[in-house]
Amino acid sequence: ILDYLNNWLGEHGSVIHSDMKFRAPALTGDATYLNATVTDLVDGRSVAVVDVVMTNQRGESMAAGTAELRLP
C-alpha cells in the first residue's frame, strides 16, 4: 500500500504516517485493487489525510486504514 501511495505522490511527496490493518493475504493469482479517498487537508493544505481500502478480484477487503501524505 505504501508503494502505491508513494507512486501517486511522485518524487516530491512523502508518506508521513500510516495505520493499515491487513485482514487477508494476497494469494497467487489474486488481483489487488487499491482505492483511496482524501478525507481532510491540513497544515495549509500541504498534508492530505486519506482513507485506503485494498480489495481483491472478488471484492473482499484485504487491507484498510488511513495515511497522512505530504503533498509536493
Side-chain angles (χ1 to χ4, degrees), residues 29-43:
D30 275 351
T32 56
Y33 302 98
L34 188 70
N35 290 299
T37 303
V38 175
T39 59
D40 197 10
L41 294 173
V42 293
D43 285 345

PDB file of all heavy atoms in Angstrom, residues 29-43:
ATOM      1  N   GLY A  29      -2.192 -15.452  -7.949  1.00  0.00           N
ATOM      2  CA  GLY A  29      -3.260 -15.327  -8.927  1.00  0.00           C
ATOM      3  C   GLY A  29      -4.282 -14.259  -8.579  1.00  0.00           C
ATOM      4  O   GLY A  29      -5.125 -13.928  -9.404  1.00  0.00           O
ATOM      5  N   ASP A  30      -4.229 -13.708  -7.361  1.00  0.00           N
ATOM      6  CA  ASP A  30      -5.169 -12.647  -6.982  1.00  0.00           C
ATOM      7  C   ASP A  30      -4.818 -11.339  -7.674  1.00  0.00           C
ATOM      8  O   ASP A  30      -3.647 -11.007  -7.854  1.00  0.00           O
ATOM      9  CB  ASP A  30      -5.141 -12.393  -5.475  1.00  0.00           C
ATOM     10  CG  ASP A  30      -6.024 -13.320  -4.678  1.00  0.00           C
ATOM     11  OD1 ASP A  30      -6.804 -14.072  -5.295  1.00  0.00           O
ATOM     12  OD2 ASP A  30      -5.947 -13.291  -3.433  1.00  0.00           O
ATOM     13  N   ALA A  31      -5.831 -10.594  -8.048  1.00  0.00           N
ATOM     14  CA  ALA A  31      -5.664  -9.211  -8.488  1.00  0.00           C
ATOM     15  C   ALA A  31      -5.974  -8.337  -7.291  1.00  0.00           C
ATOM     16  O   ALA A  31      -6.895  -8.635  -6.526  1.00  0.00           O
ATOM     17  CB  ALA A  31      -6.619  -8.892  -9.632  1.00  0.00           C
ATOM     18  N   THR A  32      -5.188  -7.296  -7.080  1.00  0.00           N
ATOM     19  CA  THR A  32      -5.451  -6.387  -5.970  1.00  0.00           C
ATOM     20  C   THR A  32      -5.780  -5.006  -6.514  1.00  0.00           C
ATOM     21  O   THR A  32      -5.181  -4.541  -7.486  1.00  0.00           O
ATOM     22  CB  THR A  32      -4.252  -6.296  -5.012  1.00  0.00           C
ATOM     23  OG1 THR A  32      -3.097  -5.900  -5.745  1.00  0.00           O
ATOM     24  CG2 THR A  32      -3.992  -7.629  -4.340  1.00  0.00           C
ATOM     25  N   TYR A  33      -6.753  -4.371  -5.878  1.00  0.00           N
ATOM     26  CA  TYR A  33      -7.213  -3.039  -6.267  1.00  0.00           C
ATOM     27  C   TYR A  33      -7.101  -2.134  -5.055  1.00  0.00           C
ATOM     28  O   TYR A  33      -7.505  -2.506  -3.954  1.00  0.00           O
ATOM     29  CB  TYR A  33      -8.656  -3.087  -6.755  1.00  0.00           C
ATOM     30  CG  TYR A  33      -8.846  -4.026  -7.918  1.00  0.00           C
ATOM     31  CD1 TYR A  33      -9.314  -5.319  -7.715  1.00  0.00           C
ATOM     32  CD2 TYR A  33      -8.527  -3.637  -9.206  1.00  0.00           C
ATOM     33  CE1 TYR A  33      -9.474  -6.196  -8.778  1.00  0.00           C
ATOM     34  CE2 TYR A  33      -8.681  -4.510 -10.269  1.00  0.00           C
ATOM     35  CZ  TYR A  33      -9.160  -5.780 -10.048  1.00  0.00           C
ATOM     36  OH  TYR A  33      -9.318  -6.649 -11.094  1.00  0.00           O
ATOM     37  N   LEU A  34      -6.567  -0.954  -5.255  1.00  0.00           N
ATOM     38  CA  LEU A  34      -6.401  -0.005  -4.174  1.00  0.00           C
ATOM     39  C   LEU A  34      -7.252   1.219  -4.461  1.00  0.00           C
ATOM     40  O   LEU A  34      -7.156   1.809  -5.545  1.00  0.00           O
ATOM     41  CB  LEU A  34      -4.929   0.395  -4.052  1.00  0.00           C
ATOM     42  CG  LEU A  34      -4.580   1.231  -2.838  1.00  0.00           C
ATOM     43  CD1 LEU A  34      -4.684   0.384  -1.577  1.00  0.00           C
ATOM     44  CD2 LEU A  34      -3.186   1.787  -2.966  1.00  0.00           C
ATOM     45  N   ASN A  35      -8.067   1.593  -3.501  1.00  0.00           N
ATOM     46  CA  ASN A  35      -8.894   2.798  -3.607  1.00  0.00           C
ATOM     47  C   ASN A  35      -8.608   3.668  -2.402  1.00  0.00           C
ATOM     48  O   ASN A  35      -8.534   3.178  -1.269  1.00  0.00           O
ATOM     49  CB  ASN A  35     -10.382   2.449  -3.643  1.00  0.00           C
ATOM     50  CG  ASN A  35     -10.765   1.771  -4.921  1.00  0.00           C
ATOM     51  OD1 ASN A  35     -10.616   2.342  -5.991  1.00  0.00           O
ATOM     52  ND2 ASN A  35     -11.228   0.539  -4.822  1.00  0.00           N
ATOM     53  N   ALA A  36      -8.440   4.960  -2.636  1.00  0.00           N
ATOM     54  CA  ALA A  36      -8.188   5.895  -1.545  1.00  0.00           C
ATOM     55  C   ALA A  36      -9.050   7.132  -1.745  1.00  0.00           C
ATOM     56  O   ALA A  36      -9.312   7.548  -2.872  1.00  0.00           O
ATOM     57  CB  ALA A  36      -6.714   6.280  -1.494  1.00  0.00           C
ATOM     58  N   THR A  37      -9.480   7.696  -0.630  1.00  0.00           N
ATOM     59  CA  THR A  37     -10.296   8.902  -0.637  1.00  0.00           C
ATOM     60  C   THR A  37      -9.645   9.936   0.264  1.00  0.00           C
ATOM     61  O   THR A  37      -9.330   9.634   1.419  1.00  0.00           O
ATOM     62  CB  THR A  37     -11.718   8.601  -0.105  1.00  0.00           C
ATOM     63  OG1 THR A  37     -12.289   7.565  -0.900  1.00  0.00           O
ATOM     64  CG2 THR A  37     -12.596   9.827  -0.160  1.00  0.00           C
ATOM     65  N   VAL A  38      -9.423  11.133  -0.257  1.00  0.00           N
ATOM     66  CA  VAL A  38      -8.893  12.213   0.561  1.00  0.00           C
ATOM     67  C   VAL A  38     -10.020  12.677   1.478  1.00  0.00           C
ATOM     68  O   VAL A  38     -11.087  13.076   1.013  1.00  0.00           O
ATOM     69  CB  VAL A  38      -8.370  13.381  -0.310  1.00  0.00           C
ATOM     70  CG1 VAL A  38      -7.929  14.541   0.562  1.00  0.00           C
ATOM     71  CG2 VAL A  38      -7.234  12.907  -1.207  1.00  0.00           C
ATOM     72  N   THR A  39      -9.779  12.602   2.803  1.00  0.00           N
ATOM     73  CA  THR A  39     -10.822  12.971   3.774  1.00  0.00           C
ATOM     74  C   THR A  39     -10.562  14.308   4.438  1.00  0.00           C
ATOM     75  O   THR A  39     -11.474  14.890   5.016  1.00  0.00           O
ATOM     76  CB  THR A  39     -10.959  11.893   4.864  1.00  0.00           C
ATOM     77  OG1 THR A  39      -9.705  11.734   5.530  1.00  0.00           O
ATOM     78  CG2 THR A  39     -11.413  10.577   4.262  1.00  0.00           C
ATOM     79  N   ASP A  40      -9.325  14.814   4.361  1.00  0.00           N
ATOM     80  CA  ASP A  40      -9.007  16.081   5.012  1.00  0.00           C
ATOM     81  C   ASP A  40      -7.724  16.646   4.421  1.00  0.00           C
ATOM     82  O   ASP A  40      -6.859  15.896   3.950  1.00  0.00           O
ATOM     83  CB  ASP A  40      -8.833  15.869   6.517  1.00  0.00           C
ATOM     84  CG  ASP A  40      -8.897  17.159   7.320  1.00  0.00           C
ATOM     85  OD1 ASP A  40      -9.272  18.210   6.758  1.00  0.00           O
ATOM     86  OD2 ASP A  40      -8.578  17.118   8.524  1.00  0.00           O
ATOM     87  N   LEU A  41      -7.598  17.965   4.440  1.00  0.00           N
ATOM     88  CA  LEU A  41      -6.372  18.656   4.078  1.00  0.00           C
ATOM     89  C   LEU A  41      -5.973  19.516   5.270  1.00  0.00           C
ATOM     90  O   LEU A  41      -6.791  20.282   5.777  1.00  0.00           O
ATOM     91  CB  LEU A  41      -6.567  19.528   2.844  1.00  0.00           C
ATOM     92  CG  LEU A  41      -6.867  18.797   1.537  1.00  0.00           C
ATOM     93  CD1 LEU A  41      -7.210  19.790   0.440  1.00  0.00           C
ATOM     94  CD2 LEU A  41      -5.675  17.948   1.120  1.00  0.00           C
ATOM     95  N   VAL A  42      -4.735  19.377   5.748  1.00  0.00           N
ATOM     96  CA  VAL A  42      -4.285  20.105   6.935  1.00  0.00           C
ATOM     97  C   VAL A  42      -2.972  20.815   6.651  1.00  0.00           C
ATOM     98  O   VAL A  42      -2.385  20.667   5.578  1.00  0.00           O
ATOM     99  CB  VAL A  42      -4.124  19.152   8.148  1.00  0.00           C
ATOM    100  CG1 VAL A  42      -5.467  18.608   8.585  1.00  0.00           C
ATOM    101  CG2 VAL A  42      -3.186  18.008   7.837  1.00  0.00           C
ATOM    102  N   ASP A  43      -2.475  21.573   7.637  1.00  0.00           N
ATOM    103  CA  ASP A  43      -1.227  22.331   7.505  1.00  0.00           C
ATOM    104  C   ASP A  43      -1.219  23.206   6.259  1.00  0.00           C
ATOM    105  O   ASP A  43      -0.308  23.132   5.428  1.00  0.00           O
ATOM    106  CB  ASP A  43      -0.003  21.398   7.485  1.00  0.00           C
ATOM    107  CG  ASP A  43       0.324  20.836   8.856  1.00  0.00           C
ATOM    108  OD1 ASP A  43      -0.200  21.374   9.850  1.00  0.00           O
ATOM    109  OD2 ASP A  43       1.099  19.873   8.923  1.00  0.00           O
TER     110      ASP A  43
END
